[in-house]
């Protein structure tokens, strides 16, 4: 009888001979999709191929690695939550691949291909993915958690944040301080994230409820492709320029809200450059409550996003899904059948020195 070779196994499994060799010899520096491994092992057993005793099923030794996909690493908001996820992953014996898409859909697709080809155990998105079609395919075989807004993804585990309420809290705070002419400065509104859109809607909603909606001035960048703006100071520079333009074209502004803390830093820098005192002349608010907001000058009133909790729960959910997939014999991947998690966190207003009573306002 003809001796069975790895070439025969490769032909039956529909893979290359080198793939058979790597899988059956359990090379630790490579990894393959579970389906590929299964086809090779099934073919080897069917042909009675002699596997060396030192070899073992590679799926038992797949690298425990997850992918974390972020839209940018410049904003400390994303750096902070990545660090939280990484700390939790390390505790459970997982490594972390961090992918920065620069808000570019092609880079997002490229990273998804890279992560799935390298058979990562699971993926956490720190924003709402732009690749909806690819996302549907991804979640069939790869546990996936999205840290983004609610109601966007019906079949994907989601750790969200009430950004509408965050905007409402900021608006309420300023109105209580007597501010009646408020500006909202933002990155491009047309293609901004859902969370940033909902912040603005929350501001508008509250002002409408107290009949102050006509007092809101909204200004945004006219840049249409934010994905190309990789300069680390982009949002700070944008806040600076938008503020100067606002001061030159609109009178009577007593408070300015930045779409994020970085943009709010640019707002404060522009006000300082014009000799405008904060908060005596104009109050300033931001969103995100990044670390430096507590030590900026003046310290920035902002919205806390519960990052430590959201990062931890996102990894906990992913770990549970990975464990469920493993128990089904699919190693670290597999279709889930336990439904999707929906976890939503409430915003917290952190009042600091950048906001105060509007000039001339007498609190009752």
């Amino acid at each position: 009888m003809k001796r069975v070779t790895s070439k025969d196994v490769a032909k039956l499994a529909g893979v290359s001979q080198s793939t058979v060799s790597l899988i059956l010899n359990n090379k630790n520096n490579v990894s393959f999709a579970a389906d590929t491994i299964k086809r090779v092992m099934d073919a080897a057993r069917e042909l009675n191929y002699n596997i060396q005793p030192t070899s073992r099923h590679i799926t038992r030794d797949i690298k425990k690695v997850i992918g974390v996909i972020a839209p940018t690493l410049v904003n400390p908001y994303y750096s902070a939550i990545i660090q939280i996820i990484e700390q939790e992953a390390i505790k459970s014996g997982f490594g972390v691949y961090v992918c920065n898409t620069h808000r570019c859909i092609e880079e997002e697709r490229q990273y998804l291909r890279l992560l799935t080809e390298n058979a990562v155990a699971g993926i956490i998105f720190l924003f709402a993915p732009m690749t909806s079609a690819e996302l549907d395919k991804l979640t069939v075989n790869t546990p996936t958690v999205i840290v983004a807004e609610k109601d966007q993804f019906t079949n994907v585990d989601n750790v969200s944040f009430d950004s509408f309420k965050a905007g409402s809290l900021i608006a309420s705070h300023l109105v209580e301080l007597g501010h009646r002419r408020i500006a909202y400065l933002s990155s491009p509104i047309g293609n901004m994230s859902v969370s940033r859109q909902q912040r603005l809607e929350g501001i508008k909603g509250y002002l409408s409820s107290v009949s102050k909606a006509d007092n809101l001035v909204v200004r945004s960048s006219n840049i249409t492709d934010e994905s190309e703006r990789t300069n680390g100071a982009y949002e700070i520079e944008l806040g600076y320029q938008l503020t100067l333009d606002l001061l030159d074209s609109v009178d009577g502004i007593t408070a300015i809200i930045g779409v994020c803390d970085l943009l709010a830093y640019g707002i404060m820098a522009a006000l300082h450059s014009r000799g405008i005192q904060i908060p005596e002349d104009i109050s300033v608010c931001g969103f995100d409550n990044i670390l430096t907001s507590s030590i900026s000058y003046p310290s920035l009133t902002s919205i806390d996003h519960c990052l430590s909790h959201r990062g931890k729960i996102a990894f906990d959910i992913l770990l549970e899904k990975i464990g469920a997939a493993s128990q089904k014999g699919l190693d670290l991947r597999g279709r889930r059948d336990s439904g999707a998690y929906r976890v939503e966190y409430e915003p917290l207003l952190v009042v600091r020195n950048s906001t105060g009573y509007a000039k001339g306002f007498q609190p009752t």
Side-chain angles (χ1 to χ4, degrees):
M1 180 181 291
K2 178 184 174 183
R3 187 174 69 89
V4 177
T5 67
S6 61
K7 184 176 181 180
D8 299 316
V9 176
K11 184 177 180 180
L12 180 59
V15 298
S16 68
Q17 191 172 356
S18 61
T19 296
V20 170
S21 177
L22 290 170
I23 289 176
L24 297 184
N25 288 290
N26 195 24
K27 296 297 184 181
N28 292 325
N29 61 338
V30 296
S31 52
F32 295 92
D35 179 64
T36 302
I37 298 168
K38 185 176 185 301
R39 292 205 316 271
V40 170
M41 298 304 295
D42 287 348
R45 280 191 289 267
E46 183 177 336
L47 296 173
N48 292 316
Y49 179 73
N50 183 28
I51 302 175
Q52 295 300 315
T54 55
S55 297
R56 64 187 188 276
H57 200 307
I58 196 169
T59 57
R60 296 176 183 171
D61 196 41
I62 264 184
K63 289 180 289 187
K64 294 175 66 176
V65 177
I66 66 167
V68 176
I69 304 180
T72 177
L73 297 181
V74 171
N75 192 327
Y77 168 90
Y78 294 104
S79 303
I81 195 168
I82 287 170
Q83 182 167 321
I84 292 162
I85 292 170
E86 183 181 45
Q87 289 171 347
E88 295 302 315
I90 289 173
K91 291 178 185 177
S92 297
F94 283 80
V96 178
Y97 288 151
V98 177
C99 306
N100 177 13
T101 69
H102 299 99
R103 303 186 191 276
C104 172
I105 191 168
E106 289 306 320
E107 290 191 39
E108 184 178 318
R109 287 178 174 141
Q110 181 178 344
Y111 277 126
L112 279 179
R113 285 194 296 268
L114 177 66
L115 293 174
T116 53
E117 287 172 2
N118 282 276
V120 294
I123 294 175
I124 297 177
F125 282 90
L126 300 184
F127 62 106
M130 294 181 280
T131 52
S132 56
E134 288 86 345
L135 181 64
D136 290 339
K137 296 177 183 177
L138 173 71
T139 56
V140 170
N141 293 309
T142 305
T144 303
V145 177
I146 298 176
V147 183
E149 296 309 300
K150 63 178 180 179
D151 300 330
Q152 286 184 269
F153 310 97
T154 57
N155 298 315
V156 185
D157 299 301
N158 193 355
V159 181
S160 67
F161 181 77
D162 193 342
S163 290
F164 184 92
K165 185 173 182 179
S168 180
L169 283 175
I170 287 283
S172 172
H173 172 63
L174 292 176
V175 168
E176 288 174 0
L177 292 174
H179 296 282
R180 300 295 181 263
R181 189 69 164 153
I182 300 169
Y184 179 81
L185 305 187
S186 172
S187 51
I189 290 177
N191 63 345
M192 71 165 58
S193 67
V194 172
S195 62
R196 292 189 173 192
Q197 292 173 16
Q198 290 185 351
R199 293 171 194 177
L200 176 56
E201 293 306 313
I203 294 168
K204 289 179 177 179
Y206 180 82
L207 294 179
S208 294
S209 72
V210 294
S211 301
K212 297 289 189 296
D214 291 341
N215 296 339
L216 178 66
V217 177
V218 178
R219 294 291 175 86
S220 67
S221 166
N222 58 7
I223 296 170
T224 58
D225 185 7
E226 194 176 22
S227 66
E228 296 181 3
R229 303 289 299 192
T230 56
N231 180 356
Y234 161 55
E235 288 190 302
I236 297 176
E237 292 174 354
L238 179 59
Y240 187 92
Q241 190 57 55
L242 286 175
T243 302
L244 295 183
D245 294 343
L246 177 74
L247 295 174
D248 292 338
S249 59
V250 180
D251 294 326
I253 296 293
T254 63
I256 305 177
I257 306 170
V259 70
C260 65
D261 284 4
L262 288 183
L263 197 135
Y265 295 164
I267 293 170
M268 292 197 293
L271 295 177
H272 285 313
S273 75
R274 292 287 181 89
I276 297 172
Q277 293 185 305
I278 308 170
E280 290 81 2
D281 298 322
I282 294 180
S283 288
V284 179
C285 300
F287 292 86
D288 297 344
N289 193 33
I290 59 178
L291 175 63
T292 47
S293 294
S294 64
I295 58 175
S296 62
Y297 182 76
S299 56
L300 180 65
T301 293
S302 187
I303 292 288
D304 188 84
H305 285 246
C306 311
L307 284 189
S308 60
H309 296 287
R310 292 173 73 199
K312 184 179 186 305
I313 194 66
F315 178 77
D316 286 345
I317 291 172
L318 189 71
L319 187 62
E320 180 176 329
K321 296 296 183 178
I322 290 170
S326 179
Q327 290 174 6
K328 284 183 265 187
L330 297 175
D331 189 63
L332 301 180
R333 295 164 301 281
R335 181 189 294 274
R336 62 171 180 271
D337 53 14
S338 58
Y341 281 99
R342 292 284 182 273
V343 182
E344 183 181 36
Y345 282 85
E346 291 281 311
L348 174 67
L349 176 67
V350 181
V351 178
R352 297 195 179 99
N353 296 331
S354 67
T355 52
Y357 288 114
K359 185 174 289 187
F361 177 73
Q362 297 296 323
T364 56

